[in-house]
Amino acid sequence: MSISNNIFHAKVLLFGEYSILLDSNGLTIPYSHFNGSLSFIKKDSYTNLNFAHNSNEHLKSYAKYLDENATDIIDTRTFIKDVENGLYFESSIPEGYGLGSSGALVAAIYKEYGINPIKSKAGLTNDETQELKKHFSKLESFFHGKSSGIDPLICYLNHPLFIEDQQNIQSIGISRKNIESDDAVFIVNTNQVGKTAPLVDLFMQKCLNPSFSKLLKEELIPTTNKCIQSLLSGDLNHFFKNVKQLSKFQLNYLKEMIPSEFIQIWEKGLKQNDYLLKLCGSGGGGYLLGFTRNYTQVKKKLSAKGLEVIPVYREF
Protein backbone atom coordinates (compact mmCIF):
# COMPACT_ATOMS: atom_id res chain seq x y z
CA MET A 1 0.00 0.00 0.00
CA SER A 2 1.94 3.02 -1.29
CA ILE A 3 1.17 6.13 -3.24
CA SER A 4 3.12 8.82 -5.05
CA ASN A 5 3.83 11.97 -3.07
CA ASN A 6 2.50 14.40 -5.69
CA ILE A 7 1.22 17.80 -4.56
CA PHE A 8 -1.50 19.61 -6.52
CA HIS A 9 -1.97 23.34 -6.15
CA ALA A 10 -5.18 25.35 -6.08
CA LYS A 11 -6.06 27.51 -9.06
CA VAL A 12 -7.34 31.02 -9.62
CA LEU A 13 -9.36 31.86 -12.71
CA LEU A 14 -8.22 35.45 -13.14
CA PHE A 15 -10.67 36.15 -15.96
CA GLY A 16 -13.49 34.25 -17.64
CA GLU A 17 -15.95 33.27 -14.91
CA TYR A 18 -19.37 32.85 -16.53
CA SER A 19 -18.30 34.49 -19.83
CA ILE A 20 -16.14 31.46 -20.61
CA LEU A 21 -19.38 29.48 -20.89
CA LEU A 22 -20.12 31.69 -23.91
CA ASP A 23 -16.63 31.26 -25.42
CA SER A 24 -14.89 34.38 -24.15
CA ASN A 25 -11.16 34.16 -23.49
CA GLY A 26 -10.08 32.91 -20.09
CA LEU A 27 -6.88 33.13 -18.04
CA THR A 28 -6.16 30.84 -15.11
CA ILE A 29 -3.09 30.40 -12.91
CA PRO A 30 -1.96 27.83 -10.32
CA TYR A 31 -1.97 29.07 -6.72
CA SER A 32 0.50 27.33 -4.43
CA HIS A 33 -0.77 28.99 -1.22
CA PHE A 34 -3.32 26.14 -1.02
CA ASN A 35 -2.67 22.56 -2.11
CA GLY A 36 -3.57 18.91 -1.62
CA SER A 37 -2.23 15.40 -2.02
CA LEU A 38 -3.46 11.83 -1.72
CA SER A 39 -2.53 9.96 1.44
CA PHE A 40 -3.60 7.05 3.67
CA ILE A 41 -5.10 7.31 7.13
CA LYS A 42 -2.58 5.95 9.63
CA LYS A 43 -2.86 5.51 13.39
CA ASP A 44 0.29 7.60 13.91
CA SER A 45 -0.69 10.23 11.34
CA TYR A 46 -0.31 13.87 12.38
CA THR A 47 -3.43 15.17 10.71
CA ASN A 48 -7.05 16.05 11.41
CA LEU A 49 -8.49 12.55 11.64
CA ASN A 50 -12.09 13.75 11.38
CA PHE A 51 -11.23 15.53 8.13
CA ALA A 52 -9.39 12.45 6.86
CA HIS A 53 -12.30 10.11 7.65
CA ASN A 54 -14.81 12.50 6.04
CA SER A 55 -12.61 12.73 2.94
CA ASN A 56 -12.36 8.95 2.79
CA GLU A 57 -16.16 8.61 2.99
CA HIS A 58 -16.49 11.16 0.19
CA LEU A 59 -14.03 9.16 -1.92
CA LYS A 60 -16.16 6.05 -1.43
CA SER A 61 -19.08 7.81 -3.13
CA TYR A 62 -16.77 9.13 -5.83
CA ALA A 63 -15.28 5.67 -6.41
CA LYS A 64 -18.77 4.31 -7.07
CA TYR A 65 -19.41 7.08 -9.59
CA LEU A 66 -16.10 6.41 -11.36
CA ASP A 67 -16.76 2.67 -11.45
CA GLU A 68 -20.07 3.35 -13.21
CA ASN A 69 -18.89 6.12 -15.53
CA ALA A 70 -15.11 6.26 -16.03
CA THR A 71 -13.57 2.79 -16.20
CA ASP A 72 -12.04 3.82 -19.54
CA ILE A 73 -10.11 6.64 -17.82
CA ILE A 74 -9.42 5.44 -14.26
CA ASP A 75 -8.17 2.10 -12.90
CA THR A 76 -11.18 1.91 -10.62
CA ARG A 77 -10.31 -1.54 -9.23
CA THR A 78 -7.06 -0.25 -7.69
CA PHE A 79 -8.68 3.04 -6.67
CA ILE A 80 -11.56 1.30 -4.86
CA LYS A 81 -9.12 -1.02 -3.10
CA ASP A 82 -7.04 1.94 -1.88
CA VAL A 83 -10.15 3.81 -0.72
CA GLU A 84 -11.15 0.74 1.29
CA ASN A 85 -7.66 0.86 2.83
CA GLY A 86 -8.07 4.45 4.01
CA LEU A 87 -7.18 6.66 1.04
CA TYR A 88 -8.10 10.31 1.50
CA PHE A 89 -7.21 13.72 0.07
CA GLU A 90 -5.13 15.79 2.51
CA SER A 91 -6.00 19.31 1.40
CA SER A 92 -5.75 22.91 2.55
CA ILE A 93 -7.87 24.12 -0.39
CA PRO A 94 -11.17 25.42 1.03
CA GLU A 95 -14.25 23.89 -0.57
CA GLY A 96 -16.79 26.20 -2.18
CA TYR A 97 -14.31 29.09 -2.37
CA GLY A 98 -13.62 29.15 -6.12
CA LEU A 99 -10.07 27.84 -5.82
CA GLY A 100 -10.45 24.43 -7.45
CA SER A 101 -10.72 22.04 -4.51
CA SER A 102 -12.44 19.39 -6.64
CA GLY A 103 -10.12 20.16 -9.56
CA ALA A 104 -7.04 19.38 -7.48
CA LEU A 105 -8.61 16.14 -6.25
CA VAL A 106 -9.51 15.04 -9.79
CA ALA A 107 -6.00 15.88 -11.02
CA ALA A 108 -4.46 13.86 -8.18
CA ILE A 109 -6.62 10.81 -8.89
CA TYR A 110 -5.95 10.96 -12.63
CA LYS A 111 -2.19 11.23 -12.00
CA GLU A 112 -2.21 8.22 -9.65
CA TYR A 113 -4.88 5.97 -11.19
CA GLY A 114 -5.25 7.12 -14.80
CA ILE A 115 -5.15 4.43 -17.49
CA ASN A 116 -2.33 5.40 -19.88
CA PRO A 117 -2.48 8.99 -18.58
CA ILE A 118 -1.26 11.88 -20.67
CA LYS A 119 1.78 13.14 -18.81
CA SER A 120 1.89 16.63 -17.37
CA LYS A 121 4.72 18.34 -19.25
CA ALA A 122 5.61 21.48 -21.14
CA GLY A 123 4.74 21.60 -24.83
CA LEU A 124 1.58 19.50 -24.89
CA THR A 125 -0.17 19.63 -28.26
CA ASN A 126 -3.65 21.13 -28.43
CA ASP A 127 -4.98 17.63 -29.17
CA GLU A 128 -3.40 16.30 -25.96
CA THR A 129 -4.72 19.26 -23.98
CA GLN A 130 -8.21 18.74 -25.39
CA GLU A 131 -8.06 15.03 -24.57
CA LEU A 132 -7.09 15.85 -20.98
CA LYS A 133 -9.86 18.44 -20.75
CA LYS A 134 -12.38 15.88 -22.03
CA HIS A 135 -11.28 13.33 -19.41
CA PHE A 136 -11.34 15.91 -16.62
CA SER A 137 -14.78 17.16 -17.63
CA LYS A 138 -16.13 13.65 -17.17
CA LEU A 139 -14.26 13.06 -13.91
CA GLU A 140 -15.26 16.37 -12.29
CA SER A 141 -18.94 16.27 -13.29
CA PHE A 142 -19.57 14.22 -10.13
CA PHE A 143 -18.96 17.37 -8.05
CA HIS A 144 -20.78 20.07 -10.04
CA GLY A 145 -23.29 18.29 -12.26
CA LYS A 146 -21.45 19.68 -15.29
CA SER A 147 -17.79 20.60 -15.66
CA SER A 148 -15.71 22.21 -18.40
CA GLY A 149 -12.69 20.25 -17.17
CA ILE A 150 -10.58 23.41 -17.00
CA ASP A 151 -10.10 23.46 -13.19
CA PRO A 152 -8.55 19.97 -13.05
CA LEU A 153 -6.54 20.83 -16.17
CA ILE A 154 -4.81 23.82 -14.55
CA CYS A 155 -4.27 21.86 -11.32
CA TYR A 156 -2.75 18.99 -13.31
CA LEU A 157 -0.50 21.03 -15.61
CA ASN A 158 0.46 23.55 -12.88
CA HIS A 159 1.13 26.32 -15.39
CA PRO A 160 -0.82 29.45 -16.42
CA LEU A 161 -3.30 28.67 -19.18
CA PHE A 162 -4.71 30.99 -21.81
CA ILE A 163 -8.12 29.80 -22.95
CA GLU A 164 -8.82 31.26 -26.36
CA ASP A 165 -12.02 29.24 -26.47
CA GLN A 166 -13.09 25.78 -25.32
CA GLN A 167 -11.26 24.17 -28.26
CA ASN A 168 -8.00 26.14 -27.99
CA ILE A 169 -6.09 26.17 -24.71
CA GLN A 170 -2.37 26.78 -24.30
CA SER A 171 0.23 27.21 -21.56
CA ILE A 172 1.41 30.80 -21.44
CA GLY A 173 3.70 33.17 -19.58
CA ILE A 174 2.44 36.41 -18.03
CA SER A 175 4.42 39.55 -18.93
CA ARG A 176 6.37 41.28 -16.16
CA LYS A 177 6.78 44.43 -18.23
CA ASN A 178 5.92 47.71 -16.46
CA ILE A 179 5.46 45.95 -13.11
CA GLU A 180 5.96 47.91 -9.91
CA SER A 181 6.57 46.52 -6.44
CA ASP A 182 3.13 47.36 -5.03
CA ASP A 183 1.12 45.94 -7.96
CA ALA A 184 -0.84 42.88 -6.86
CA VAL A 185 -3.66 40.45 -7.38
CA PHE A 186 -5.21 39.40 -4.07
CA ILE A 187 -8.17 37.52 -2.62
CA VAL A 188 -10.60 38.64 0.08
CA ASN A 189 -12.28 36.02 2.26
CA THR A 190 -16.08 36.41 2.47
CA ASN A 191 -16.23 33.67 5.13
CA GLN A 192 -19.15 32.14 3.25
CA VAL A 193 -19.28 28.96 1.19
CA GLY A 194 -20.46 29.45 -2.37
CA LYS A 195 -22.34 26.79 -4.33
CA THR A 196 -21.43 26.60 -8.00
CA ALA A 197 -24.29 24.63 -9.56
CA PRO A 198 -27.26 26.85 -8.54
CA LEU A 199 -25.38 30.02 -9.51
CA VAL A 200 -24.46 28.64 -12.93
CA ASP A 201 -28.12 27.63 -13.36
CA LEU A 202 -29.15 31.18 -12.43
CA PHE A 203 -26.72 32.65 -14.95
CA MET A 204 -27.97 30.37 -17.73
CA GLN A 205 -31.56 31.39 -16.89
CA LYS A 206 -30.56 35.05 -17.14
CA CYS A 207 -29.02 34.29 -20.55
CA LEU A 208 -32.50 33.39 -21.85
CA ASN A 209 -33.37 37.09 -21.60
CA PRO A 210 -32.43 38.59 -25.02
CA SER A 211 -31.42 41.97 -23.56
CA PHE A 212 -29.12 40.30 -21.00
CA SER A 213 -27.66 38.04 -23.67
CA LYS A 214 -26.94 41.11 -25.80
CA LEU A 215 -25.13 42.76 -22.88
CA LEU A 216 -22.93 39.71 -22.50
CA LYS A 217 -21.97 39.67 -26.16
CA GLU A 218 -21.46 43.42 -26.50
CA GLU A 219 -19.93 44.23 -23.09
CA LEU A 220 -18.90 41.32 -20.86
CA ILE A 221 -17.09 39.18 -23.43
CA PRO A 222 -15.15 42.04 -25.11
CA THR A 223 -14.20 43.53 -21.72
CA THR A 224 -13.01 40.15 -20.42
CA ASN A 225 -10.91 39.62 -23.55
CA LYS A 226 -9.41 43.12 -23.23
CA CYS A 227 -8.45 42.46 -19.59
CA ILE A 228 -6.55 39.35 -20.60
CA GLN A 229 -4.85 40.82 -23.66
CA SER A 230 -3.71 43.98 -21.85
CA LEU A 231 -2.30 41.91 -18.96
CA LEU A 232 -0.47 39.50 -21.26
CA SER A 233 1.02 42.39 -23.24
CA GLY A 234 2.12 44.22 -20.08
CA ASP A 235 -0.04 47.28 -20.76
CA LEU A 236 -1.02 47.87 -17.14
CA ASN A 237 -2.62 51.27 -17.63
CA HIS A 238 -5.18 49.81 -20.04
CA PHE A 239 -5.34 46.66 -17.94
CA PHE A 240 -6.64 48.46 -14.84
CA LYS A 241 -9.07 50.52 -16.94
CA ASN A 242 -10.44 47.28 -18.40
CA VAL A 243 -10.67 45.60 -14.99
CA LYS A 244 -12.62 48.62 -13.73
CA GLN A 245 -15.15 48.15 -16.54
CA LEU A 246 -15.43 44.44 -15.70
CA SER A 247 -15.90 45.21 -12.00
CA LYS A 248 -18.68 47.69 -12.84
CA PHE A 249 -20.39 45.17 -15.13
CA GLN A 250 -20.43 42.45 -12.48
CA LEU A 251 -21.73 44.88 -9.87
CA ASN A 252 -24.52 46.05 -12.17
CA TYR A 253 -25.58 42.81 -13.84
CA LEU A 254 -24.30 39.91 -11.68
CA LYS A 255 -25.11 41.37 -8.27
CA GLU A 256 -26.85 38.15 -7.19
CA MET A 257 -23.42 36.46 -7.22
CA ILE A 258 -21.91 39.03 -4.81
CA PRO A 259 -22.51 38.54 -1.05
CA SER A 260 -24.68 41.47 0.01
CA GLU A 261 -22.39 42.65 2.82
CA PHE A 262 -19.56 43.12 0.29
CA ILE A 263 -21.50 45.36 -2.12
CA GLN A 264 -20.47 48.54 -0.29
CA ILE A 265 -16.81 47.45 -0.16
CA TRP A 266 -16.96 46.66 -3.88
CA GLU A 267 -18.50 50.08 -4.63
CA LYS A 268 -15.92 51.88 -2.49
CA GLY A 269 -13.07 50.33 -4.46
CA LEU A 270 -14.61 51.56 -7.72
CA LYS A 271 -15.22 55.04 -6.33
CA GLN A 272 -11.82 55.56 -4.70
CA ASN A 273 -9.96 53.74 -7.50
CA ASP A 274 -7.34 52.22 -5.19
CA TYR A 275 -8.55 48.64 -5.58
CA LEU A 276 -10.98 46.79 -7.83
CA LEU A 277 -12.98 43.66 -6.97
CA LYS A 278 -14.45 40.95 -9.18
CA LEU A 279 -15.83 37.46 -8.73
CA CYS A 280 -13.47 34.59 -8.05
CA GLY A 281 -15.17 31.59 -9.64
CA SER A 282 -18.94 31.46 -9.53
CA GLY A 283 -19.28 33.75 -6.49
CA GLY A 284 -22.02 33.55 -3.90
CA GLY A 285 -19.35 33.45 -1.22
CA GLY A 286 -15.85 32.03 -1.14
CA TYR A 287 -13.21 34.56 -2.11
CA LEU A 288 -13.46 37.77 -4.08
CA LEU A 289 -10.59 38.60 -6.41
CA GLY A 290 -8.92 42.00 -6.11
CA PHE A 291 -6.50 44.08 -8.18
CA THR A 292 -4.49 47.06 -6.99
CA ARG A 293 -1.41 49.16 -7.64
CA ASN A 294 -1.22 50.03 -3.91
CA TYR A 295 -1.25 46.63 -2.21
CA THR A 296 0.41 47.70 1.08
CA GLN A 297 -2.12 50.47 1.67
CA VAL A 298 -5.13 48.45 0.47
CA LYS A 299 -4.26 45.42 2.62
CA LYS A 300 -4.03 47.70 5.67
CA LYS A 301 -7.36 49.37 4.83
CA LEU A 302 -9.29 46.13 4.25
CA SER A 303 -7.66 44.32 7.18
CA ALA A 304 -8.81 47.19 9.43
CA LYS A 305 -12.37 46.18 8.48
CA GLY A 306 -11.66 42.68 9.78
CA LEU A 307 -11.21 41.18 6.31
CA GLU A 308 -8.68 38.48 5.49
CA VAL A 309 -6.59 39.62 2.50
CA ILE A 310 -4.14 37.19 0.87
CA PRO A 311 -1.83 38.01 -2.05
CA VAL A 312 -2.18 35.77 -5.10
CA TYR A 313 0.28 37.40 -7.44
CA ARG A 314 2.66 40.22 -6.68
CA GLU A 315 4.93 41.85 -9.24
CA PHE A 316 2.91 40.05 -11.87
Side-chain angles (χ1 to χ4, degrees):
M1 187 174 68
S2 63
I3 202 161
S4 306
N5 191 27
N6 294 304
I7 294 174
F8 293 86
H9 297 145
K11 63 84 200 180
V12 172
L13 181 64
L14 290 179
F15 298 101
E17 63 289 329
Y18 291 111
S19 63
I20 208 170
L21 298 172
L22 305 172
D23 263 351
S24 77
N25 295 164
L27 183 65
T28 183
I29 61 172
Y31 184 33
S32 60
H33 184 82
F34 298 105
N35 57 70
S37 60
L38 292 170
S39 187
F40 285 98
I41 299 171
K42 306 180 186 72
K43 290 181 180 178
D44 58 350
S45 180
Y46 295 96
T47 189
N48 181 331
L49 286 177
N50 284 334
F51 175 90
H53 284 295
N54 287 337
S55 174
N56 176 255
E57 287 298 317
H58 197 48
L59 287 186
K60 287 178 182 177
S61 300
Y62 188 40
K64 182 180 178 183
Y65 168 83
L66 294 179
D67 200 39
E68 293 172 351
N69 296 280
T71 53
D72 57 328
I73 305 172
I74 299 296
D75 176 5
T76 55
R77 180 177 296 180
T78 303
F79 179 56
I80 290 169
K81 182 179 178 182
D82 282 351
V83 170
E84 289 172 348
N85 286 323
L87 184 75
Y88 76 104
F89 192 55
E90 178 72 62
S91 175
S92 63
I93 308 171
E95 296 180 15
Y97 271 64
L99 297 180
S101 57
S102 61
L105 171 59
V106 167
I109 289 171
Y110 179 79
K111 175 81 171 181
E112 188 69 30
Y113 300 98
I115 298 171
N116 299 319
I118 296 171
K119 292 184 179 179
S120 172
K121 60 182 180 181
L124 285 180
T125 66
N126 191 59
D127 285 346
E128 289 174 316
T129 302
Q130 286 298 316
E131 186 69 14
L132 274 173
K133 181 175 172 291
K134 180 181 173 184
H135 288 337
F136 288 146
S137 174
K138 191 173 186 179
L139 297 178
E140 200 188 26
S141 61
F142 170 79
F143 300 96
H144 301 308
K146 184 180 181 182
S147 166
S148 68
I150 289 172
D151 280 8
L153 184 65
I154 178 67
C155 295
Y156 185 68
L157 297 179
N158 197 36
H159 199 281
L161 295 178
F162 170 61
I163 303 149
E164 184 176 349
D165 53 46
Q166 294 292 334
Q167 282 68 51
N168 294 279
I169 300 171
Q170 57 183 298
S171 296
I172 200 166
I174 298 177
S175 174
R176 292 182 177 271
K177 191 169 72 172
N178 301 322
I179 301 308
E180 298 177 7
S181 61
D182 226 20
D183 295 336
V185 180
F186 60 93
I187 51 176
V188 179
N189 194 346
T190 69
N191 289 307
Q192 302 174 42
V193 175
K195 295 190 180 300
T196 298
L199 289 173
V200 171
D201 287 345
L202 172 62
F203 177 77
M204 298 312 291
Q205 284 295 318
K206 286 167 72 75
C207 287
L208 296 176
N209 183 324
S211 60
F212 182 75
S213 184
K214 184 180 179 183
L215 276 170
L216 299 179
K217 291 175 183 176
E218 295 182 356
E219 291 189 36
L220 179 60
I221 291 174
T223 302
T224 298
N225 293 352
K226 286 177 185 176
C227 287
I228 294 169
Q229 294 303 327
S230 54
L231 176 59
L232 295 181
S233 67
D235 185 353
L236 294 192
N237 287 329
H238 278 101
F239 171 70
F240 278 95
K241 287 178 183 176
N242 293 327
V243 173
K244 188 168 187 175
Q245 288 304 115
L246 182 60
S247 180
K248 284 181 179 177
F249 184 94
Q250 292 187 351
L251 180 64
N252 289 333
Y253 301 108
L254 297 176
K255 190 170 280 188
E256 306 97 324
M257 286 73 171
I258 304 171
S260 58
E261 55 268 50
F262 284 85
I263 296 291
Q264 189 175 14
I265 295 168
W266 191 301
E267 291 173 335
K268 189 167 285 188
L270 282 167
K271 184 177 180 180
Q272 297 178 349
N273 217 36
D274 54 351
Y275 65 88
L276 298 165
L277 296 180
K278 62 179 288 294
L279 298 174
C280 179
S282 56
Y287 287 104
L288 297 176
L289 198 56
F291 300 83
T292 183
R293 306 213 73 173
N294 304 291
Y295 179 72
T296 304
Q297 177 186 332
V298 167
K299 179 177 171 62
K300 188 180 295 185
K301 180 187 291 188
L302 294 179
S303 297
K305 297 179 182 292
L307 300 175
E308 181 186 24
V309 178
I310 308 170
V312 171
Y313 205 51
R314 295 201 68 183
E315 297 189 331
F316 58 82

